[in-house]
Amino acid sequence: MYSSDLINKFKTFQTPFYYYDLGLLRLTLETLKKEADKYGYNIHYAVKANANEKIMRLISSYGFGADCVSGNEVLKAYECGFEPSKIVFAGVGKSDGEIISALKCGIFCFNCESVQEIEVINSLALSLGKTAQIALRLNPGIDAHTNQKINTGLADSKFGIDFNLLEDTIKEISDFKNIKLIGLHYHIGSQILDFEPFKLLCERSNEMQEKLLALGYELPEINLGGGLGVDYYNPEENPVPEFQKLFSLINQNLKVRKGQRVHFELGRSVVAQCGKLISKVLYIKPARETNFAILDAGFTDLIRPALYGAYHKIENLTSQSSETKIYDVVGPICESTDVFVKHLELKGTSRGDLLSFSSAGAYGEIMASQYNLRKLPNVYYSDNE
Ligand code: LLP
C-alpha cells in the first residue's frame, strides 16, 4: 500500500521516525463526526492516545471535545484549541495542583473516582470561589474481553467507584456545596472488538439510571468512555474503525431520558491507523532457530509489543528479495524484552532495509521514552510531502 514515491521519500528521512497520514486522519474524523451526529453524541478525544500538537489541532478543528488524565493534558488541550466547555478530566490520582489548574481553565467536568477526591475538589473549588461540575466514574464490573493489561471495568481494577456503592457515595457527597453532580461516567477498557461488553455497559447504565431516579436524581450527562478497538491485523483493509456499529448498538441499548446527553472518550480509534513507525535494519544476525533483524527502533519508540504483547503489522518496504525468511524482529535497547515479534516471516531482509510498523498512531509517540539516553524519533506528516 506504500507508493514507490513515498518509500523514496522515507529513504531521505532520518530513522526511526513516526509518519502520520493526515488524509486518513481527516477521513476518520469526518466519519466519526458524521456517525456521532446521527445520534447527537458528544465525542471527547482521549488525549492520552496521542498528544502531538499537529494531530490535536486537527482533531479540535472538527469541534470535538477532549478527555484528559493530567493537568498537563488539560493545558495542552486548551492550547490546541479544544474548548474548555468540552474538556473532561479523569484519573484516579488527580493532584491538588492539577485540580486547581483545571478549575481555573473552566473545564466541563471532573470524572471522579473516590469520595475523598470529591472532597478535595469541593474544598479547592470553594477556595477559588467556583463550583466544579463532576461525574461519578463507576466501575461497572464488566469484563471488556480485551488484553488483560488494558481491561479496566472489573471489580479488582483500581478505576472507578464500585457500582454497588452509588447510593452511599451520593449520600456522602450530598453536603458538598461547591460541586455539582451532573452525570455518571464509565470506561471498561481499551481495544475492544467484541461488542457484547458495550451492550452490558448499556444495561448497567440503565440500571444505574433507575437507581438515581429512585434517589430523586435526574442527571443530564452519561459518559460511556472510550475503548473501541482497531484492526491491527488488516490496517489497510480497515483503516477507519467501526464507529457506526458502536453508535448504533449504543443507540439501541442505552436508555436516554429527555434532555440527557451521551458522551464518548475515544482515543485509539481516532488516531491509531494514521500513524506508522518506520525503522531501519542495522544488522542481521543468524542464530540457531531464527535470524535476528536488529532495528534502530526499540521499545523506547513503540512499547506496546514489549509491554502488552501487542501485535503490530510489520512490513519490509525496501527488500528486493523474492524469498521470505523467518526473523525475530528486535530493537537495540539493552533489555531482553526489546523484541517486537518472534518468528515473523518477512521478505529477505538486509542491513539498510526500511521496516514499517502499522497502527502506531495511538499509544506510540506518546509512550516513547529516552531510556538508554536515546533520542526521540523525528515526526513527519503526509501534508509535507
Ligand atoms: N477514557 C478513559 C477514562 C481511559 O482510561 C481511556 C484509556 C480512554 C478513555 C481511551 O480509550 P481508547 O478509546 O483509546 O481505548 N496504552 C494502552 C492503552 C491504555 C488505555 C488507557 N485508557 C495501549 O497501548 O494499548
Side-chain angles (χ1 to χ4, degrees):
M1 293 294 251
Y2 293 82
S3 69
S4 51
D5 279 358
L6 186 58
I7 294 172
N8 285 334
K9 192 96 196 163
F10 283 177
K11 286 182 185 163
T12 67
F13 295 157
Q14 173 78 43
T15 55
F17 60 88
Y18 302 107
Y19 175 78
Y20 293 111
D21 178 346
L22 299 182
L24 176 56
L25 179 57
R26 285 190 194 94
L27 174 67
T28 307
L29 294 168
E30 277 154 25
T31 311
L32 173 58
K33 187 158 173 48
K34 186 179 92 196
E35 297 302 332
D37 284 353
K38 278 187 190 163
Y39 308 104
Y41 290 162
N42 299 274
I43 307 298
H44 305 263
Y45 166 62
V47 175
K48 64 176 79 62
N50 188 318
N52 172 302
E53 187 158 339
K54 199 157 178 156
I55 302 275
M56 284 181 59
R57 284 192 185 278
L58 185 55
I59 297 172
S60 73
S61 75
Y62 282 75
F64 296 120
D67 160 43
C68 303
V69 287
S70 73
N72 283 343
E73 281 192 2
V74 171
L75 295 178
K76 182 83 184 260
Y78 178 67
E79 278 165 23
C80 290
F82 289 91
E83 287 170 36
S85 64
K86 293 181 180 172
I87 295 178
V88 296
F89 182 13
V92 281
K94 304 177 187 79
S95 71
D96 293 23
E98 289 178 315
I99 294 168
I100 290 169
S101 69
L103 283 167
K104 286 187 177 161
C105 177
I107 64 162
F108 169 59
C109 187
F110 290 82
N111 292 331
C112 298
E113 310 218 5
S114 66
V115 171
Q116 209 165 38
E117 176 196 332
I118 298 169
E119 201 177 333
V120 170
I121 294 176
N122 183 60
S123 70
L124 292 173
L126 173 66
S127 68
L128 293 174
K130 292 185 183 279
T131 301
Q133 300 206 107
I134 68 156
L136 296 180
R137 175 173 180 176
L138 295 183
N139 182 329
I142 292 171
D143 185 346
H145 297 159
T146 180
N147 185 321
Q148 286 313 304
K149 298 220 165 84
I150 51 175
N151 207 353
T152 47
L154 284 168
D156 64 353
S157 156
K158 71 174 178 181
F159 298 105
I161 298 167
D162 186 336
F163 70 94
N164 292 303
L165 297 176
L166 175 64
E167 245 177 284
D168 296 352
T169 307
I170 288 197
K171 277 187 197 136
E172 285 180 65
I173 65 172
S174 60
D175 286 341
F176 298 153
K177 300 278 181 295
N178 289 70
I179 53 137
K180 185 173 176 211
L181 178 61
I182 59 168
L184 295 182
H185 171 241
Y186 310 86
H187 172 73
I188 55 174
S190 200
Q191 183 51 17
I192 302 171
L193 291 170
D194 165 5
F195 280 46
E196 190 60 23
F198 284 122
K199 202 170 156 206
L200 294 176
L201 178 60
C202 291
E203 286 164 14
R204 183 70 78 218
S205 167
N206 298 342
E207 196 187 308
M208 293 299 109
Q209 293 254 70
E210 292 301 320
K211 274 207 169 156
L212 280 177
L213 278 177
L215 293 168
Y217 284 85
E218 268 193 70
L219 302 182
E221 317 293 341
I222 305 175
N223 185 336
L224 298 180
L228 176 63
V230 304
D231 191 343
Y232 281 99
Y233 289 88
N234 302 295
E236 281 92 10
E237 291 81 347
N238 297 307
V240 180
E242 296 186 298
F243 301 119
Q244 189 267 337
K245 192 172 155 198
L246 174 67
F247 295 152
S248 92
L249 174 127
I250 300 290
N251 180 54
Q252 277 163 29
N253 292 281
L254 186 74
K255 285 193 191 142
V256 181
R257 302 174 66 80
K258 207 161 177 276
Q260 270 188 323
R261 303 194 309 163
V262 179
H263 303 254
F264 293 89
E265 302 168 342
L266 300 174
R268 185 189 315 267
S269 51
V270 180
V271 289
Q273 303 293 32
C274 74
K276 317 251 184 225
L277 171 68
I278 310 291
S279 173
K280 197 174 269 177
V281 178
L282 291 175
Y283 305 107
I284 299 293
K285 178 161 72 172
R288 210 170 315 151
E289 290 179 1
T290 187
N291 295 289
F292 288 105
I294 303 167
L295 310 188
D296 63 0
F299 72 45
T300 47
D301 315 303
L302 182 64
I303 202 173
R304 304 191 66 257
L307 195 58
Y308 314 115
Y311 174 85
H312 284 261
K313 184 172 175 187
I314 301 176
E315 289 164 90
N316 186 325
L317 303 183
T318 50
S319 170
Q320 300 300 323
S321 170
S322 52
E323 288 175 10
T324 62
K325 265 191 175 175
I326 300 298
Y327 296 92
D328 282 14
V329 180
V330 303
I333 316 290
C334 291
E335 294 250 4
S336 22
T337 54
D338 189 24
V339 174
F340 289 112
V341 65
K342 283 182 184 282
H343 301 290
L344 176 73
E345 190 172 347
L346 274 181
K347 280 196 274 178
T349 295
S350 339
R351 172 172 164 83
D353 279 349
L354 291 181
L355 263 54
S356 82
F357 293 79
S358 297
S359 320
Y363 307 110
E365 183 186 352
I366 193 66
M367 292 182 81
S369 77
Q370 292 193 284
Y371 183 46
N372 285 190
L373 276 189
R374 283 165 58 78
K375 196 172 154 297
L376 291 173
N378 290 326
V379 185
Y380 299 98
Y381 306 89
S382 56
D383 280 14
N384 295 344
E385 265 168 40

